């Protein structure tokens, strides 16, 4: 099978978030599973600094507005069946950031990714790739299914939604500038409350849609999680799949992780306590025998930071626990957490910032990992923490529901703790249940064992995508 992955970012070439991890990992895995794979990416400034000596495969001239924008198709072959194709257009992509600055998104993002989407199709034509599948990712690639219709190319398209909240909606005047026929600007097309929507185009015109967990795939069909796209998603629900993300066990493995103080496995779990003690020293937090609760993530409403702060405020008053929080995001949450730290300096440490090494240490040192997300397409924190024997306490939504098995008092089985209501009280109750288990060394040890033995590798996810591609091809 010949697969083209199209994305606005992929590790190791470009990254702003989880999307890059997914696309980079799938590129590697499809190839390892023997599929001929091409990865299409913009050639950003950061990418240029990272990777040079590319081969020029062709030139591009694409009409955007009144201008013909020129660009180049560059490529790098990694081995016989795996090639990265970069779209070079310096006016659009040779910038410091991928999508915008602190002041907001770049104002020409519609033109930038409209150009990119056309360029991908041009490149596939010029290089005569004869792709069977185009695996498109997020709104930046949403126009591709329309452009395919206009060419003689026949790849089947899968449009994967990594987070429905990011939609790529622009004024309808962009249609003409991007050379999109007005026939597509309709309620069951890419029209979205008077705007044109890249994500809606991807949803409507691709053959299949997927998102990054089965539960999120069901949730986005409802008004509560649908981000105003639930109606159109319900129309396509028979072609909507949920495939859970994986994590890279070469990076996230307590047995080999060079960023933690003491490597450990299930058979040498004592090593985990050493990490806990060292983290306490590093953060000037006296932990002792108290249970340690960790949080690593964006300080955003999506992540449930409001109920987290409310729950901690109550909990710290009444229980001897230790908490370490690492994150950046909304100013008010940062301030609330620092305030909580001032109030309970013996119990809580809030580190405001992005710090990959510290994140590894928190995963390794904590007893429990907090993920009270309001919604969670997949979530990586719970997968990482389980591998490190740190039991997640998470809200029963999206990928959290699909990967965390709530502790069952009767069977005494589970790899974490789940709560359903989006409220500080429900979270608090779940934390208290977890703290109860912490005191029962036998059950706590057993749960750790289950968590550490779970397999959330990329190989599993990639196999599921390939099965889906086969179904898509057979449906012709
Ligand atoms: P998101 O919605 O932000 O993509 P995920 O749970 O899917 O959430 O992935 C977040 C990833 O980013 C995890 O690997 C987490 O450890 C990491 N991360 C988030 N915030 C920070 C931070 N402040 N410092 C270090 N790593 C972070």
């Amino acid at each position: 099978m010949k697969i083209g992955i199209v994305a606005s970012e992929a590790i190791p070439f470009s990254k702003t978030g989880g999307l890059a991890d997914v696309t980079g990992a799938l590129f590697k895995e499809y190839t390892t599973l023997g599929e001929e794979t091409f990865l299409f990416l913009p050639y950003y400034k950061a990418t240029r600094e990272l990777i040079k000596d590319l081969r020029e495969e062709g030139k591009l001239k694409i009409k955007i507005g009144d201008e013909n924008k020129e660009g180049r198709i560059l490529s790098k072959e990694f081995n016989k069946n795996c090639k990265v194709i970069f779209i070079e257009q310096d006016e659009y992509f040779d910038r410091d950031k991928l999508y915008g600055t602190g002041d907001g998104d770049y104002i020409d993002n519609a033109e930038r990714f409209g150009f990119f989407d056309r360029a991908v199709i041009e490149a596939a034509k010029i290089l005569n790739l004869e792709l069977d599948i185009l695996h498109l990712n997020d709104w930046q690639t949403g126009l591709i299914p329309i452009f395919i219709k206009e060419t003689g190319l026949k790849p089947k398209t899968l449009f994967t939604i990594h987070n429905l909240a990011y939609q790529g909606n622009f004024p309808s005047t962009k249609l003409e500038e991007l050379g999109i026929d007005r026939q597509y600007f309709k309620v069951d097309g890419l029209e979205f409350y008077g705007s044109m929507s890249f994500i809606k185009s991807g949803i409507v015109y691709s053959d299949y849609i997927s998102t990054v967990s089965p539960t999120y795939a069901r949730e986005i069909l409802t008004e509560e999680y649908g981000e105003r796209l639930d109606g159109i998603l319900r129309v396509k629900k028979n072609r909507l799949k949920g495939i859970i993300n994986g994590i890279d066990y070469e990076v996230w493995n307590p047995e080999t992780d060079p960023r933690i103080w003491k490597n450990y496995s299930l058979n040498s779990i004592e090593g985990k306590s050493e990490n806990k003690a060292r983290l306490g020293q590093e953060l000037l937090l006296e932990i002792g025998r108290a249970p340690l609760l960790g949080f690593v993530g964006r300080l955003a409403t999506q992540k449930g930071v409001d109920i987290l702060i409310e729950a901690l405020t109550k909990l710290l008053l009444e229980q001897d626990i230790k908490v370490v929080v690492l994150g950046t995001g909304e100013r008010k949450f940062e301030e609330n957490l620092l305030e909580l730290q001032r109030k309970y300096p013996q119990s809580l440490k809030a580190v405001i910032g992005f710090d990959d090494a510290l994140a590894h240490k928190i995963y390794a040192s904590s007893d429990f990992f907090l993920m009270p997300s309001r919604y969670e397409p997949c979530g990586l924190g719970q997968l990482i923490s389980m591998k490190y024997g740190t039991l997640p306490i998470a809200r029963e939504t999206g990928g959290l529901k699909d990967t965390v098995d709530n502790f069952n008092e009767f069977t005494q089985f589970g790899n974490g703790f789940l709560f359903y209501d989006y409220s500080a009280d429900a979270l608090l109750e779940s934390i208290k249940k977890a703290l109860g288990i912490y005191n029962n060394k036998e059950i706590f040890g057993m749960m750790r064992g289950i968590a550490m033995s779970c397999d959330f590798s990329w190989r599993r996810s990639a196999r599921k995508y390939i099965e889906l591609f086969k179904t898509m091809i057979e449906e012709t």
Side-chain angles (χ1 to χ4, degrees), residues 296-298 303 326-328 353-356 359 363 371 379-381 384:
V296 179
R298 287 184 289 120
K303 298 290 171 187
L326 167 64
T328 53
F354 193 97
D355 185 337
D356 186 47
Y363 286 116
M371 257 182 114
L380 297 177
I384 299 170

Side-chain angles (χ1 to χ4, degrees), residues 153-168:
L153 297 177
K154 288 272 174 280
K156 292 282 179 136
T157 46
L158 171 69
F159 183 69
T160 298
I161 300 165
H162 297 265
N163 189 334
L164 195 63
Y166 300 96
Q167 303 184 335

Side-chain angles (χ1 to χ4, degrees), residues 265-361:
S265 68
L266 190 52
N267 295 325
S268 57
I269 195 79
E270 327 74 66
K272 197 167 160 57
S273 332
E274 193 173 325
N275 286 297
K276 187 171 167 181
R278 294 288 297 271
L279 182 73
Q281 284 166 15
E282 180 161 314
L283 298 179
L284 305 176
L285 187 71
E286 207 171 302
I287 299 177
R289 291 180 165 275
L292 177 63
L293 283 67
F295 173 94
V296 179
R298 287 184 289 120
L299 300 178
T301 315
Q302 183 207 329
K303 298 290 171 187
V305 184
D306 49 350
I307 61 168
L308 176 67
I309 291 168
E310 200 184 325
L312 289 178
T313 306
K314 290 184 186 166
L315 197 66
L316 289 166
L317 202 66
E318 50 184 64
Q319 298 239 8
D320 179 25
I321 55 158
K322 306 288 167 174
V323 182
V324 172
V325 175
L326 167 64
T328 53
E330 288 177 38
R331 183 73 50 85
K332 67 168 190 255
F333 292 140
E334 297 183 354
E335 281 166 5
N336 290 344
L337 285 164
L338 290 172
E339 177 62 37
L340 214 54
Q341 175 178 262
R342 271 193 293 276
K343 220 164 152 191
Y344 300 101
Q346 321 288 347
S347 308
L348 181 134
K349 183 80 196 176
V351 182
I352 305 302
F354 193 97
D355 185 337
D356 186 47
L358 182 59
H360 281 250
K361 290 170 178 151

Side-chain angles (χ1 to χ4, degrees), residues 231-279:
I232 196 73
L233 285 163
R234 281 196 295 274
V235 172
K236 290 204 64 171
K237 76 170 193 283
N238 294 334
R239 288 170 171 259
L240 169 63
K241 304 284 172 200
I243 299 178
I244 203 91
N245 284 337
I247 51 171
D248 186 344
Y249 286 133
E250 279 174 26
V251 177
W252 300 107
N253 184 349
E255 291 180 51
T256 51
D257 191 338
R259 295 180 187 85
I260 64 177
W261 290 282
K262 175 88 183 163
N263 291 117
Y264 62 92
S265 68
L266 190 52
N267 295 325
S268 57
I269 195 79
E270 327 74 66
K272 197 167 160 57
S273 332
E274 193 173 325
N275 286 297
K276 187 171 167 181
R278 294 288 297 271
L279 182 73

